[in-house]
Amino acid sequence: MNKISYIRWFNEIGIDDVPLVGGKNASLGEMYQNLTAEGVRVPNGFAVTAEAYCSVLEYNNAWQSLHAALDGLDPDNIRDLQARGEKARAIVYGCQLPDDLQVEILQGYAQLKREYGETISLAVRSSATAEDSPEASFAGQNDTYLNIASDDALLDGYKRCLASNFTDRSIHYKYDNHFDYYKVYISVVVMKMVRSDIGASGVMFSLDTETGFKDVVFINAAHGLGENVVQGTIDPDSFYAHKPSFVMGYRAVLKRRLGSKEKKMIFTNTLNTGNIAVEYTKNIDTSSEERSHYCITDSDVMVLTDYAIKVENHYSNKAGSYKPMDMEWAKDGLDGQLYMVQARPETVSSQKKGNILEIYHLKERSVVLLRGRAVGTKIGAGKARIINDVKHLKDFQPGEVLVADTTTPDWEPVMKIAAAIVTSRGGRTCHAAIVSRELGIPAIVGTENTNEVIKNGQAITISCAEGETGTVYDGLLGFEIQQTDLSQLGHPKTKIMMNLGNPDQAFSFASLPLDGIGLARMEFIINPTPRESPRFSHGEESGKLVLT
């Protein structure tokens, strides 16, 4: 009988291999095989298969122990979830790796050293067999370990990735999306580490995440490793690039927004005494110079736009239908090159059914408490519940507004019962933003001083219906929802062009049967927040158009 091989190299796997290597590995293999020839850079690596995960548990007789730990779990009981999840992780992490599996993993590492040099470090990333599907992304549910540079650290990181199949957040996510806890297996990515710790990294989407507008690439970027962007612990730089203009050969950056980027994540080699380090990274403050400039250039934005279009086109052609993509990228500080490190189907706009346009309107206004980045276009209201630590999640009540510095995947059980979310930190592709879109609830991120302004139990209204800037109002304000069935609207023979005062709303109205949208008011083009309308002044400057 032939011996089972537990690893598959990226050039051996593709998107059809999700049951064997998980979504992340399958996508990396798909890009490595099909897009590197088109100029899309993907670091090489290999998958440790889901068969290896099952083999580890069988070798240690761990299945029965896992059933004892998890059978009868009520995932909505936070205390029960935390206690049982801890037991399940300890069971898996305590497993011994079979000798043949250890040998294969370390042989793969040696081969990567021959390709990239002895000083190569590794990214060791979880890749679940149910992740990155159009129905459920599994984003952030399992663990990643970076800057792995020794045999012992690689094997330890591998076991920690396996154990992360039973993080509290992952267990609850499986429950919410109707996956069997025991039938979602973990494959592990072992790949060349892109040194973005001394470069930059971020996420990008091949459409506008808020409106579903298809003709743009939306990019978020920050100094250092990408976890800060994903988790929303910093306010990143953001860019919009226009895809049709790019295809025609133009440098099509539509919009840039400078983020504060107050932190950057870098590597640390500090070890715990007598043990292998769990934390391989740390956050440090960025310099005033780093905060005052964009962390990537317009040329970088054009390269990323090229990558995004090629990835989207490849997946769309393979599926035979339009497939917007959610991607992660990294810029290596050593070679200066941009790399794709993940691509998965976008799971919100692409899953919308029907063609109903919903427009939310506030019927009244009150004192503005905070402003930040709007996520979605809805309005929500309720009593504020300030949560500063995961220990206090059990205090959250359905229908309250979750107010926090930032969120992580561990918070998702309460996020799904919130009326809205407000965070002090993060951009429009942070964890709070991604989850709120999946849940269909409004969120405002990056308000900076949330806990100083909002009081626990205070009634507030969150409006994301006024463009890219979201507003937190004092009190419970009335609002209405206007619904329009676009499928019933005919397209007239006469070309209809819309004049729009607020450019932030252009993408959301693009789904209407129009032939184009233009900006009617010069002051909105020059200054998004004018204090007064343009006027003709008198006296010496009579006849000149002056903005005041």
Side-chain angles (χ1 to χ4, degrees):
M1 185 170 61
N2 293 330
K3 176 180 175 293
I4 295 176
S5 176
Y6 289 121
I7 72 170
R8 298 287 190 280
W9 288 89
F10 287 171
N11 63 5
E12 299 175 312
I13 54 179
I15 201 61
D16 296 326
D17 294 311
V18 172
L20 178 65
V21 298
K24 194 178 284 95
N25 270 318
S27 185
L28 284 164
E30 184 75 20
M31 291 191 294
Y32 189 86
Q33 286 199 68
N34 297 284
L35 296 176
T36 51
E38 295 186 31
V40 178
R41 293 179 181 271
V42 182
N44 196 13
F46 59 88
V48 187
T49 67
E51 290 175 339
Y53 168 83
C54 295
S55 178
V56 170
L57 296 184
E58 289 165 4
Y59 182 77
N60 291 271
N61 297 315
W63 287 112
Q64 184 175 352
S65 299
L66 284 173
H67 277 280
L70 295 173
D71 285 353
L73 167 68
D74 176 9
D76 289 326
N77 182 327
I78 301 299
R79 287 190 179 91
D80 192 34
L81 174 62
Q82 291 173 339
R84 290 172 178 255
E86 184 177 4
K87 288 180 182 178
R89 292 191 297 276
I91 291 167
V92 178
Y93 183 66
C95 287
Q96 180 181 349
L97 300 182
D99 290 343
D100 57 344
L101 174 58
Q102 292 188 52
V103 168
E104 280 202 63
I105 292 173
L106 297 181
Q107 286 177 341
Y109 183 18
Q111 186 169 328
L112 285 174
K113 284 182 178 180
R114 289 192 291 272
E115 179 177 352
Y116 290 109
E118 287 292 325
T119 59
I120 180 181
S121 62
L122 303 172
V124 180
R125 312 167 69 191
S126 304
S127 180
T129 55
E131 76 178 353
D132 294 353
S133 67
E135 295 79 23
S137 69
F138 271 71
Q141 301 307 312
N142 306 115
D143 290 344
T144 289
Y145 296 93
L146 306 177
N147 200 33
I148 301 299
S150 73
D151 290 354
D152 287 343
L154 172 55
L155 296 176
D156 179 73
Y158 173 71
K159 285 209 301 180
R160 292 185 185 278
C161 284
L162 299 189
S164 74
N165 198 27
F166 298 103
T167 60
D168 300 347
R169 59 186 183 269
S170 183
I171 293 170
H172 206 289
Y173 193 86
K174 294 182 184 79
Y175 169 75
D176 288 338
N177 289 278
H178 311 294
F179 290 102
D180 188 322
Y181 308 139
Y182 310 107
K183 293 182 180 179
V184 175
Y185 304 142
I186 291 289
S187 172
V188 174
V189 183
V190 179
M191 63 189 292
K192 174 190 179 296
M193 182 71 221
V194 179
R195 291 299 304 275
S196 58
D197 59 306
I198 50 175
S201 59
V203 298
M204 63 179 174
F205 291 80
S206 63
L207 81 175
D208 178 47
T209 52
E210 306 310 318
T211 64
F213 184 58
K214 300 177 182 179
D215 286 344
V216 292
V217 174
F218 177 48
I219 301 168
N220 271 357
H223 297 290
L225 301 170
E227 190 70 6
N228 282 336
V229 177
V230 174
Q231 296 296 347
T233 53
I234 55 99
D235 178 27
D237 296 336
S238 59
F239 307 84
Y240 280 102
H242 190 236
K243 288 193 284 189
S245 297
F246 177 85
V247 171
M248 294 172 65
Y250 298 106
R251 293 174 61 87
V253 182
L254 287 179
K255 182 186 292 188
R256 308 167 190 82
R257 179 182 178 274
L258 184 67
S260 58
K261 307 181 297 295
E262 58 271 22
K263 299 280 185 182
K264 68 177 177 181
M265 185 174 287
I266 63 170
F267 293 140
T268 175
N269 293 320
T270 303
L271 297 180
N272 296 332
T273 302
N275 205 343
I276 295 174
V278 178
E279 296 296 336
Y280 298 100
T281 61
K282 66 177 179 179
N283 262 322
I284 63 172
D285 293 335
T286 50
S287 66
S288 57
E289 176 72 14
E290 288 173 318
R291 298 181 195 187
S292 63
H293 292 83
Y294 292 103
C295 62
I296 58 174
T297 65
D298 276 7
S299 295
D300 292 331
V301 173
M302 291 298 96
V303 172
L304 291 172
T305 300
D306 179 55
Y307 287 2
I309 292 172
K310 287 175 178 175
V311 171
E312 181 184 78
N313 286 344
H314 174 77
Y315 277 82
S316 297
N317 291 336
K318 193 172 183 72
S321 60
Y322 171 61
K323 288 290 181 184
M325 300 298 292
D326 169 358
M327 294 155 280
E328 295 180 17
W329 59 269
K331 183 174 183 178
D332 196 306
L334 297 177
D335 63 20
Q337 301 293 340
L338 290 155
Y339 294 84
M340 290 292 297
V341 294
Q342 188 170 350
R344 58 189 173 221
E346 190 274 340
T347 57
V348 180
S349 295
S350 60
Q351 295 301 298
K352 290 179 180 176
K353 305 298 182 183
N355 202 20
I356 303 297
L357 175 67
E358 284 190 343
I359 301 178
Y360 283 64
H361 296 284
L362 273 176
K363 298 169 68 175
E364 53 187 328
R365 296 289 194 279
S366 68
V367 174
V368 174
L369 300 175
L370 293 166
R371 286 192 170 93
R373 304 288 286 166
V375 179
T377 58
K378 296 182 178 181
I379 297 171
K383 290 184 178 180
R385 173 71 66 174
I386 299 173
I387 302 290
N388 294 317
D389 190 278
V390 68
K391 295 183 299 184
H392 301 297
L393 291 176
K394 62 183 183 299
D395 300 328
F396 193 86
Q397 300 299 313
E400 293 181 329
V401 176
L402 175 61
V403 179
D405 186 47
T406 186
T407 67
T408 72
D410 292 316
W411 296 49
E412 290 175 23
V414 302
M415 295 172 75
K416 71 173 187 175
I417 58 174
I421 298 169
V422 181
T423 67
S424 295
R425 295 188 283 171
R428 289 169 63 191
T429 56
C430 71
H431 174 265
I434 291 172
V435 174
S436 65
R437 283 190 205 98
E438 288 190 357
L439 297 174
I441 60 176
I444 300 176
V445 298
T447 58
E448 295 188 357
N449 55 346
T450 301
N451 290 357
E452 299 173 15
V453 176
I454 298 177
K455 307 302 179 185
N456 215 30
Q458 181 178 1
I460 55 176
T461 298
I462 285 75
S463 174
C464 297
E466 301 164 82
E468 290 187 12
T469 299
T471 306
V472 181
Y473 292 99
D474 188 27
L476 302 179
L477 304 183
F479 61 91
E480 60 184 6
I481 306 172
Q482 176 186 343
Q483 292 187 330
T484 304
D485 186 353
L486 301 180
S487 65
Q488 303 302 312
L489 296 180
H491 204 111
K493 293 183 179 180
T494 303
K495 288 187 175 182
I496 303 296
M497 311 292 284
M498 174 183 282
N499 282 328
L500 189 64
N502 185 351
D504 288 346
Q505 295 181 312
F507 294 165
S508 63
F509 287 115
S511 58
L512 294 171
L514 303 168
D515 293 282
I517 298 176
L519 299 180
R521 302 289 296 275
M522 180 60 71
E523 75 270 27
F524 281 103
I525 299 174
I526 298 173
N527 182 358
T529 54
R531 295 181 181 177
E532 298 178 21
S533 297
R535 63 179 174 81
F536 285 99
S537 61
H538 300 285
E540 294 180 1
E541 295 190 355
S542 179
K544 293 182 179 180
L545 186 63
V546 181
L547 286 176
T548 58

